[in-house]
Amino acid sequence: MVNLNKIKQARENISKIINETPLMTSESISSEVGNQIFFKCEHLQKTGSFKIRGASNKIINEASKGARSIVAASSGNHGQAVSYIARKLGLTPTIVVPANVAACKQKGIRAYHGNIEFCGESSEERLGRAKQISKEENAPYVPPYDDPLIMAGQGTIGLEILEQLDSVDEVYVPIGGGGLISGVATAIKEIKPHVRIIGVEPKLANDTYLSILKGERVNIGGSTTIADGLRTATPGELTFPIIQKYVDEIVLVDEEEIKTAFTIVLTRMKQVIETSAAVAVAAAMTREAEGKKIVALCSGGNVDTSVVSSILG
Ligand SMILES: *Cc1c(COP(=O)(O)O)cnc(C)c1O
């Protein structure tokens, strides 16, 4: 299971590969909302999202055990991250994507020289095909979140936040499958238990929120939220118990709030983040004004130009 030591180990493993991302602030936004807001800039991370942290930690480990190729199933940021780090380490990446994958996502994977394999339209079909390739080609499968090495890699963000803002009160983290928040929460709670960790989901993809209420993993099926990185149907088997243990609260945001947060970050801070990152900003901005120091984890910046123009109208 993931713990502080494994996160520190992950940091050593990946420090030469990843960027230590800046923590930005905006005086105008802070004074408007009555809390001091900081933005942890993973949209400036290599490959455009934090996913490179977990993927690197996992693939370095597989390479050290002799792997020559690896396989993942993802049309988004995980696929790009896996392609990038695999090639960098001299391994062959195969990424299984849906048959109807958007052209821009294919382009993202190809840009990092990942081999693309098309399969079906559902995530079950893709996962099945990835596992099959894994067996046939003796290529380890790299999951997007439900893996201790992946969680430990994502947790390195928590160490950076504590170093960059020693007096932080609260951290807002978007939740998809829960790999990001389980790593970040473990790092922060095991060093500074009083720092509050707040998970954020779109109202239209509230699987973790419902699971916490029920005390067990709930599956909500598909979702149409604009935050495409958070459309997971259910929290992970390994991530969920960590979320139950360490996450203080889960906040839901609606689609309009996500778009507003995206636009504010773009126009005031001149930063392009993706909609899945904007959910954390949206929740942080609507928090009660109490002069707290709060961090919104801007998890990525890979947004289609068509989405940008539809939000800006
Ligand atoms: C994957 C992803 C998330 C969600 O991370 P999980 O580990 O699945 O919870 C959030 N934002 C971005 C940009 C992502 O790529």
Side-chain angles (χ1 to χ4, degrees):
M1 207 12 85
V2 63
N3 57 39
L4 183 57
N5 273 337
K6 293 196 175 143
I7 295 169
K8 288 181 173 167
Q9 183 65 54
R11 192 179 199 187
E12 269 175 42
N13 295 342
I14 69 176
S15 64
K16 290 205 178 68
I17 294 157
I18 61 135
N19 295 329
E20 177 163 336
T21 54
L23 197 64
M24 284 188 188
T25 188
S26 157
E27 278 183 33
S28 77
I29 297 175
S30 296
S31 70
E32 216 170 280
V33 301
N35 293 301
Q36 226 179 313
I37 301 200
F38 297 83
F39 302 82
K40 178 62 173 163
C41 297
E42 287 296 297
H43 63 293
L44 304 178
Q45 185 54 267
K46 294 227 177 100
T47 72
S49 85
F50 73 87
K51 291 280 198 315
I52 189 68
R53 295 178 185 256
S56 297
N57 196 37
K58 175 77 177 172
I59 295 172
I60 287 169
N61 180 265
E62 295 294 356
S64 76
K65 293 188 291 183
R68 306 287 302 278
S69 49
I70 42 119
V71 57
S74 157
S75 57
N77 291 336
H78 180 60
Q80 297 190 29
V82 166
S83 299
Y84 171 85
I85 181 63
R87 287 295 182 198
K88 198 166 174 76
L89 297 173
L91 280 68
T92 305
T94 300
I95 314 296
V96 184
V97 303
N100 59 349
V101 67
C104 59
K105 302 228 155 149
Q106 280 188 56
K107 230 168 135 183
I109 295 168
R110 291 224 165 87
Y112 296 111
H113 309 290
N115 296 331
I116 294 187
E117 169 100 14
F118 297 94
C119 179
E121 292 191 2
S122 74
S123 55
E124 288 77 35
E125 285 171 289
R126 275 193 308 281
L127 187 61
R129 180 72 187 120
K131 293 263 164 88
Q132 190 186 12
I133 294 172
S134 175
K135 234 188 204 154
E136 285 168 7
E137 298 182 12
N138 195 19
Y141 168 70
V142 182
Y145 49 83
D146 223 10
D147 181 288
L149 289 169
I150 299 277
M151 290 185 259
Q154 323 304 31
T156 58
I157 299 170
L159 302 179
E160 288 179 23
I161 290 173
L162 291 181
E163 287 168 8
Q164 293 171 317
L165 186 67
D166 182 49
S167 54
V168 58
D169 294 306
E170 289 182 356
V171 182
Y172 286 73
V173 187
I175 306 181
L180 175 61
I181 197 168
S182 47
V184 169
T186 299
I188 292 179
K189 290 289 189 183
E190 293 186 6
I191 296 173
K192 289 202 167 174
H194 70 273
V195 176
R196 281 170 51 82
I197 305 292
I198 290 121
V200 192
E201 288 187 306
K203 279 192 182 130
L204 293 180
N206 61 350
D207 51 297
T208 302
Y209 176 83
L210 294 177
S211 301
I212 291 287
L213 279 185
K214 194 154 187 231
E216 64 182 37
R217 291 160 65 223
V218 169
N219 190 315
I220 60 163
S223 170
T224 56
T225 176
I226 191 171
D228 57 334
L230 311 181
R231 288 181 190 150
T232 25
T234 186
E237 208 176 309
L238 303 179
T239 60
F240 184 59
I242 301 170
I243 294 171
Q244 283 180 302
K245 182 173 171 198
Y246 281 143
V247 174
D248 294 282
E249 187 185 344
I250 295 183
V251 173
L252 301 178
V253 294
D254 65 33
E255 300 293 294
E256 278 313 307
E257 290 172 315
I258 298 170
K259 293 177 192 169
T260 302
F262 171 88
T263 306
I264 288 174
V265 171
L266 182 72
T267 55
R268 299 275 196 90
M269 304 189 56
K270 331 302 179 203
Q271 299 295 310
V272 180
I273 60 173
E274 59 185 280
T275 45
S276 301
V279 299
V281 177
M285 285 187 44
T286 45
R287 186 204 188 282
E288 185 189 351
E290 286 188 315
K292 298 278 187 197
K293 287 187 182 165
I294 66 187
V295 172
L297 206 170
C298 293
S299 46
N302 294 326
V303 61
D304 287 358
T305 48
S306 63
V307 172
V308 177
S309 56
S310 88
I311 293 176
L312 299 179

